Each structure stands twice: as C-alpha cells, then as structure tokens.
C-alpha cells in the first residue's frame, strides 16, 4: 500500500525556518518524483515544489523560490522541504504527493497524497 | 499558466447533472504525444485531494463512471452525470503542462 507521511509542522515565528519531512513506503521510491503542495486554511491548493526521482531536477513556485529548498534521501525513502524566511502567508497545511509515472521529471498528475502537516507562522 | 474554474460554487439536486468548467491561459496540448496535461481532483473536508481524471478525460481506476472529463485546447469540463450525496466536495483542476504546476481556485459542490 502506498503511503506518504508528512511531519515537522509546528508554530514558528515570522522570519523563522523549518524543515518538513515526507516519509514514503509501498512503492519504488527512488523511481518517483515527489511534489510538495500547500493549502492555506479555508483556501485552495497551491503547488509548491518538486524534486525529480533522481534528485537532478527541482522546481519551485514563484512564491517560495529562493526561500524554500527541496531535497531527498533515497536511502531513507524521504523527501525534505527546508523553509526559510517564513511569513504569515506561508501558514498552511503542507502535503507531499507522488508523481503518477515512474522515472518522469514531474509533468504528471499526482496519484497519492499524504494527510499533510500544519505549518503556522505567527508571533 | 493561469487556470480559472467556474463557477466558484454550485448547488445541484440529487440525480441531476453537475458541470464544472476549467479554462487555462494557454493550450495544454503537448503535440508530441497529443495529450492534454489537465487533471481533476476531488477534496472532501479533512481529507487530501483525490485524483479523479488525468489527461483531461482518463478516469482513474475505481472512480465511478458518472465522473466524466472532457475538453480540448484551453477549455475543459468535469461533468458528474447523476449527482450522489457522496459527491459533495470541492473540485479542483490542475495543469501539469508547465514546470510550475497550477490549480484552479476550486468549485464547491453542494446538494440542493
């Protein structure tokens, strides 16, 4: 069974930093691109970032570029999202999701999602 | 690429048809494989989104056949042919054509 479990969400002050983790199981992790998405309270979905299956390609939404960094450790079946210079606008439930097709760099739908981890930026 | 859904909310009677529209600011057709890079998701309260339709019209395994994706170019539609109570949710379209994916703002579907 495919599972994605996010962790690391906490309350953090504006200007602070945080690292989220996404632990995966139930599929050949090192063959799949992983995406990060977020959803502010009561709002819609926003795609945030992706890291390709081999770690060679990363992309970011304009709203986070230069502040967020995505990485992966295929030995630990995990993806990470380092978030710096956080602002109130980054408050959201953060999801990781799996790319539909293997060995593809990201232009595919997202067929499995985690339950999300909540990041609250507040003083 | 900007993706715009309409309407923002919709109330439909059980057994009736629901139609949600999605318009992109540029064509989502990749000519090399003749596929439209457009997906539809369903999100119920307290749950992550669920993929319903990929490639504009390909229904995912296990998704009831009352969910129908259609469209081409820049205009796409999700139709629920006969609304069931369990279809109450927010529906999102997503373009995955560009390296920066984008979602529509969502359409909240309610039972009339």
């Amino acid at each position: 069974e495919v599972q994605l479990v996010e962790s690391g969400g906490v309350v953090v002050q504006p200007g602070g930093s945080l690292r989220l983790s996404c632990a995966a199981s139930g599929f050949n992790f090192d063959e799949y691109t992983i995406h990060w998405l977020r959803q502010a309270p009561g709002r819609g979905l926003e795609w945030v970032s992706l890291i390709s299956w081999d770690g060679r390609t990363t992309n970011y939404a304009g709203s986070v570029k230069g502040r967020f960094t995505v990485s992966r450790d295929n030995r630990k079946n995990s993806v990470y999202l380092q978030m710096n210079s956080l602002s109130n606008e980054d408050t959201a439930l953060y999801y990781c999701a799996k790319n539909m097709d293997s060995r593809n760099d990201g232009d595919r739908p997202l067929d499995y999602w985690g339950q999300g981890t909540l990041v609250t930026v507040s003083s | 690429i900007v993706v715009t859904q309409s309407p923002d909310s919709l109330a439909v009677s059980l057994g009736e048809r629901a139609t949600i529209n999605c318009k992109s600011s540029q064509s989502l057709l990749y000519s090399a494989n003749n596929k439209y890079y457009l997906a539809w998701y369903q999100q119920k309260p307290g749950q992550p989104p669920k993929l319903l339709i990929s490639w504009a019209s390909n229904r995912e395994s296990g998704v009831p056949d009352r969910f129908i994706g259609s469209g081409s170019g820049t205009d796409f539609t999700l139709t629920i042919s006969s609304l069931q109570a369990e279809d109450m949710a927010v529906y999102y379209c997503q373009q995955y054509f560009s390296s920066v994916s984008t979602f529509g703002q969502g359409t909240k579907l309610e039972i009339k």
Side-chain angles (χ1 to χ4, degrees):
Chain A
E1 178 191 6
V2 173
Q3 282 198 325
L4 297 161
V5 179
E6 304 91 341
S7 62
V10 293
V11 179
V12 60
Q13 290 190 339
S17 298
L18 196 58
R19 189 175 88 151
L20 305 183
S21 299
C22 170
S25 61
F27 62 100
N28 294 333
F29 179 77
D30 60 0
E31 294 186 356
Y32 287 86
T33 292
I34 301 294
H35 301 247
W36 285 99
L37 305 98
R38 67 185 181 183
Q39 188 167 34
R43 305 294 296 275
L45 297 167
E46 180 185 14
W47 179 88
V48 172
S49 180
L50 70 80
I51 184 163
S52 63
W53 57 281
D54 57 4
R56 293 183 179 181
T57 299
T58 58
N59 285 332
Y60 301 92
S63 58
V64 307
K65 199 167 188 176
R67 300 188 299 122
F68 289 13
T69 303
V70 62
S71 61
R72 68 189 293 157
D73 185 341
N74 285 348
R75 296 167 301 172
K76 295 183 178 180
N77 283 11
S78 293
V79 171
Y80 308 99
L81 186 68
Q82 177 66 41
M83 308 162 64
N84 299 330
S85 302
L86 288 163
S87 71
N88 293 340
E89 287 69 40
D90 297 313
T91 293
L93 186 63
Y94 283 73
Y95 295 103
C96 61
K98 172 185 161 291
N99 207 55
M100 173 180 278
D101 292 333
S102 64
R103 298 183 179 266
N104 166 272
D105 287 350
D107 57 349
R108 292 295 185 269
L110 308 175
D111 58 357
Y112 289 91
W113 298 58
Q115 292 294 318
T117 187
L118 182 62
V119 173
T120 303
V121 183
S122 174
S123 54
Chain B
I1 299 176
V2 177
V3 178
T4 305
Q5 287 180 233
S6 62
D8 290 336
S9 63
L10 182 61
V12 176
S13 300
L14 293 175
E16 296 299 306
R17 173 175 298 193
T19 301
I20 300 170
N21 300 300
C22 178
K23 186 174 183 67
S24 64
S25 59
Q26 66 183 72
S27 175
L28 300 182
L29 176 65
Y30 184 41
S31 55
N33 59 13
N34 202 36
K35 288 187 172 184
Y36 291 102
Y37 282 51
L38 189 284
W40 289 96
Y41 298 83
Q42 176 193 65
Q43 187 178 31
K44 296 182 178 180
Q47 297 182 18
K50 173 188 175 183
L51 178 64
L52 298 176
I53 304 282
S54 60
W55 309 113
S57 60
N58 183 64
R59 192 182 307 113
E60 296 305 303
S61 174
V63 174
D65 60 8
R66 63 180 181 272
F67 290 91
I68 303 164
S70 62
S72 61
T74 62
D75 294 280
F76 302 90
T77 300
L78 174 67
T79 301
I80 308 173
S81 59
S82 177
L83 194 70
Q84 305 299 303
E86 61 265 31
D87 300 335
M88 282 182 51
V90 179
Y91 292 84
Y92 294 94
C93 59
Q94 176 212 16
Q95 68 79 16
Y96 45 96
F97 184 89
S98 73
S99 59
V100 176
S101 177
T102 47
F103 287 81
Q105 77 275 22
T107 295
K108 185 174 184 179
L109 180 57
E110 298 173 312
I111 307 300
K112 187 186 291 183

